[in-house]
Amino acid sequence: MTIPDIIIAIDGYSSTGKSSFAKLVASGFGFLYLDSGALYRGVTLFAQRMGLIGEDNVVSDALETALEGLDLHFSAEGKTCIGEDCVESEIRSMKVSSQVSPIAAVPYVRAFVDRKLHELASSGRVVMDGRDIGTTVFPNAQIKVFMTASLEVRARRRYDEMVAKGETPDLEQVAANLQERDYIDSHRSTSPLKQAADAFVLDNSQMSMGEELAWLRGVVQGKFGIYD
Ligand code: CDP
């Protein structure tokens, strides 16, 4: 099946497996994968390192100017880096997870990440995951997927992922962080997480990744009338 040169936007709740799915789509379709959440996590780590996040997660205005000097990018292997420093595992820590949603609610932070995504996606054939890709960043994306799964399944997946990395998480705390981020992400005033009217919903609580990819192929076939 020949996939046309399109943008695929995958949005949804925390830990629904968006990034694993998007990576699989990228390798299956020969697309570039862009992880917008990694950019928000990178900005959060940067702000933490600069000491710009205060009490109650209030962000110092100095972050806006500091972002002008931030070299946040993906390495050739797709790892998130700040300058020479590859911070892929640090940005996935609970410390970053616990502050990323308030940082991602700041309008100039969103503008910074949106600009980066547009630069990186300029050549097309891209699959991106996030919270507002299909609604705000690329409202003209030809395929939009909105992912969801039960809280139990999502918390368990994130917990297993952390255990596999040698961490010792607490399942309840992991579930609470997911719920808290979903709440902040859905209620912020700048591009909140919501399902685009033209998105296809994928509830993967009971699906394997192979089934998810087959489902997406079906969506693309249906949309573009491809039957080879
Ligand atoms: O991996 P997980 O789904 O838990 O989160 P992520 O995709 O790494 O994103 C981390 C956080 O960044 C989210 O909880 C949002 O607060 C924020 N985010 C956002 O606001 N908009 C996006 N397009 C992507 C992420």
Side-chain angles (χ1 to χ4, degrees):
M1 170 176 155
T2 313
I3 310 285
D5 291 351
I6 55 172
I7 289 183
I8 301 177
I10 301 178
D11 290 304
Y13 295 105
S14 297
S15 214
T16 40
K18 297 182 298 294
S19 58
S20 310
F21 180 46
K23 281 181 200 157
L24 185 70
V25 171
S27 65
F29 289 9
F31 276 33
L32 173 70
Y33 165 55
L34 294 178
D35 178 353
S36 66
L39 298 176
Y40 285 105
R41 288 173 178 275
V43 171
T44 304
L45 179 67
F46 172 72
Q48 286 174 341
R49 285 179 172 179
M50 303 267 296
L52 297 175
I53 310 177
E55 290 275 302
D56 296 328
N57 296 335
V58 174
V59 187
S60 158
D61 291 343
L63 179 61
E64 185 166 12
T65 317
L67 285 181
E68 288 167 20
L70 171 60
D71 170 21
L72 179 63
H73 61 272
F74 297 115
S75 68
E77 299 79 40
K79 305 276 181 237
T80 312
C81 304
I82 295 179
E84 301 281 281
D85 187 12
C86 282
V87 292
E88 192 57 40
S89 62
E90 265 180 284
I91 61 165
R92 313 280 165 196
S93 67
M94 261 329 253
K95 184 165 181 232
V96 168
S97 294
S98 65
Q99 293 191 310
V100 61
S101 287
I103 298 292
V106 176
Y108 62 76
V109 171
R110 302 207 69 80
F112 173 86
V113 170
D114 288 5
R115 261 197 317 277
K116 283 236 168 295
L117 292 171
H118 277 273
E119 274 163 34
L120 294 166
S122 58
S123 51
R125 291 189 82 78
V126 176
V127 52
M128 266 172 275
D129 76 317
R131 301 293 187 288
D132 62 338
I133 306 298
T135 50
T136 304
V137 188
F138 286 95
N140 298 328
Q142 292 86 343
I143 298 278
K144 299 178 187 177
V145 176
F146 190 82
M147 285 181 76
T148 183
S150 72
L151 179 65
E152 291 70 32
V153 167
R154 294 191 284 130
R156 171 58 65 175
R157 284 182 189 149
R158 180 52 54 99
Y159 174 89
D160 290 345
E161 212 173 86
M162 293 170 90
V163 169
K165 280 197 226 152
E167 294 170 35
T168 46
D170 173 87
L171 185 58
E172 307 245 304
Q173 207 188 333
V174 170
N177 173 258
L178 297 183
Q179 274 183 304
E180 189 191 353
R181 282 197 287 134
D182 287 345
Y183 184 87
I184 300 175
D185 293 345
S186 316
H187 290 82
R188 67 180 172 227
S189 50
T190 309
S191 51
L193 164 66
K194 67 172 193 290
Q195 189 186 320
D198 52 349
F200 296 90
V201 177
L202 174 61
D203 181 334
N204 69 1
S205 304
Q206 310 286 337
M207 281 169 95
S208 69
M209 292 196 52
E211 288 169 335
E212 290 177 41
L213 189 61
W215 172 87
L216 186 65
R217 281 187 190 280
V219 167
V220 174
Q221 282 180 323
K223 173 122 184 177
F224 295 99
I226 310 166
Y227 297 103
D228 56 348

